[in-house]
Amino acid sequence: MKLSVLLLCALVAVQAALLAAPSAQAKGLQVGYYNKKCRKGVDVEGVIMWHIKRAIKKNPRVGAALVRLVFHDCFVRGCDGSREAPANIGLAAFDVLEEIKADLERKCRGVVSCSDILVYAARDATKILSRGHIDYKVPGGRLDGMYSSAYEAQAELPDSTFTAQQLIDNFARKNFDAEEMVILSGAHSIGMAHCSSFRGRLTAPSGEINRDYRNLLNYKCHQSANPAVVNNVRDEDYKTVARFMPGFKSRVRKIRDLCCRINGS
Ligand code: HEM
């Protein structure tokens, strides 16, 4: 984040800690937390939704980036708006968060935390990408962290090379059971991954990976040094699906007609 935005996040953290925050923390988070926190006419959640709609229209990749970002933020020290992790670098979504923060500072200075902006933004992205199928209320009142550690983030976030047991253990440390971990991992039905993140899996025994899908991924990963490939065959181009997974082609078309094409790729 730009220094100015970082400072504003810190400002909200301090203000919230000194003023509204003790009560917010004591009462816990609330749905509609910002309803009466700004001057009349400023609808905080509405402002965030407006920006997210615009950003996804311009670049649909932003939606998946936000969903991933909320996981990375909340998994380490809780949702605190921190960003110091190599895994976060380069995510287009930071620009959008900065834009929203700056707009909200103009409209309602020193009130809305970066961590709340991120959580609302990811919820809104999910709603837009699912064409309204996924819609839920999000309580607000989070405080921004004053401390952000790249080391901690690297140590606590699950690595793409983990075995199933390592993943289960990793999530258990955050009080998630295996079922919750699998449900959360469903977020990978959108977005992209660089080949370096999964190349090691492509040599797995044939019982562990679909042969046609392995061939498709091998083909994709040889197109350049370390390309990013869509996480879901639904978002793959027809020509490639037809070549490697012909039986899947008509299904891809049906799924897209029913729902969406989420990556803008
Ligand atoms: C179970 C442990 C998890 C591991 C090991 C993992 C790992 C990864 C990796 C390696 C990538 C691709 C990064 C790249 O190469 O560019 C990725 C992408 C992504 N992850 Fe996860 N992840 C996990 C859990 C989650 C959870 C819980 C969520 C959200 C609830 C999530 C949301 C996403 C999204 C949306 C993307 C696509 C991002 C984009 O297209 O910009 N992941 N994840």
Side-chain angles (χ1 to χ4, degrees):
M1 256 179 238
K2 284 181 201 125
L3 189 61
S4 56
V5 176
L6 271 180
L7 286 174
L8 287 171
C9 294
L11 182 74
V12 172
V14 173
Q15 285 199 355
L18 294 178
L19 301 168
S23 58
Q25 290 240 301
K27 282 191 216 144
L29 306 179
Q30 285 167 16
V31 170
Y33 177 80
Y34 290 105
N35 283 355
K36 290 192 178 138
K37 294 271 186 295
C38 302
R39 71 180 146 78
K40 221 171 154 209
V42 177
D43 167 12
V44 171
E45 291 189 42
V47 170
I48 296 171
M49 178 53 117
W50 183 85
H51 281 278
I52 297 304
K53 266 189 192 156
R54 201 172 71 140
I56 291 182
K57 203 166 167 195
K58 226 161 72 187
N59 175 13
R61 295 265 307 113
V62 165
L66 283 168
V67 173
R68 183 172 185 225
L69 202 51
V70 84
F71 167 53
H72 282 210
D73 185 35
C74 297
F75 208 67
V76 185
R77 284 182 176 260
C79 312
D80 62 357
S82 59
R83 67 159 290 181
E84 283 296 328
N88 291 341
I89 283 172
L91 285 181
F94 283 122
D95 296 348
V96 183
L97 295 171
E98 282 173 9
E99 189 185 294
I100 299 172
K101 178 65 179 166
D103 194 16
L104 283 172
E105 282 305 308
R106 277 192 297 273
K107 295 182 163 116
C108 184
R109 191 160 180 79
V111 171
V112 189
S113 67
C114 294
S115 41
D116 275 343
I117 293 175
L118 173 57
V119 173
Y120 288 128
R123 183 269 311 266
D124 294 345
T126 309
K127 182 172 176 184
I128 295 166
L129 294 180
S130 68
R131 292 195 184 160
H133 290 290
I134 303 172
D135 189 12
Y136 51 96
K137 294 210 181 312
V138 173
R142 287 163 196 80
L143 304 183
D144 290 332
M146 300 295 286
Y147 175 78
S148 180
S149 154
Y151 170 80
E152 225 175 318
Q154 281 307 104
E156 294 185 19
L157 284 165
D159 195 87
S160 64
T161 59
F162 277 9
T163 61
Q165 191 56 53
Q166 283 174 318
L167 287 173
I168 291 169
D169 294 344
N170 176 272
F171 273 68
R173 283 195 281 278
K174 303 287 175 181
N175 289 328
F176 290 110
D177 64 24
E179 188 181 0
E180 288 166 330
M181 181 193 83
V182 170
I183 292 167
L184 285 168
S185 302
H188 294 131
S189 64
I190 56 170
M192 306 187 85
H194 289 87
C195 290
S196 54
S197 296
F198 59 83
R199 200 172 259 127
R201 310 269 184 197
L202 296 179
T203 49
S206 55
E208 292 177 15
I209 181 169
N210 176 289
R211 187 198 56 193
D212 296 342
Y213 188 46
R214 185 210 309 260
N215 290 343
L216 184 152
L217 291 176
N218 266 324
Y219 166 76
K220 283 274 168 177
C221 288
H222 281 93
Q223 299 307 301
S224 59
N226 183 23
V229 179
V230 292
N231 285 337
N232 196 317
V233 184
R234 170 202 61 213
D235 295 328
E236 195 51 84
D237 63 88
Y238 281 127
K239 243 169 60 189
T240 309
V241 179
R243 179 170 162 198
F244 291 97
M245 306 179 79
F248 208 75
K249 199 181 154 206
S250 58
R251 266 186 275 171
V252 167
R253 202 179 285 276
K254 261 190 218 148
I255 294 168
R256 282 188 199 165
D257 286 348
L258 265 177
C259 174
C260 27
R261 184 173 164 81
I262 321 197
N263 288 294
S265 51

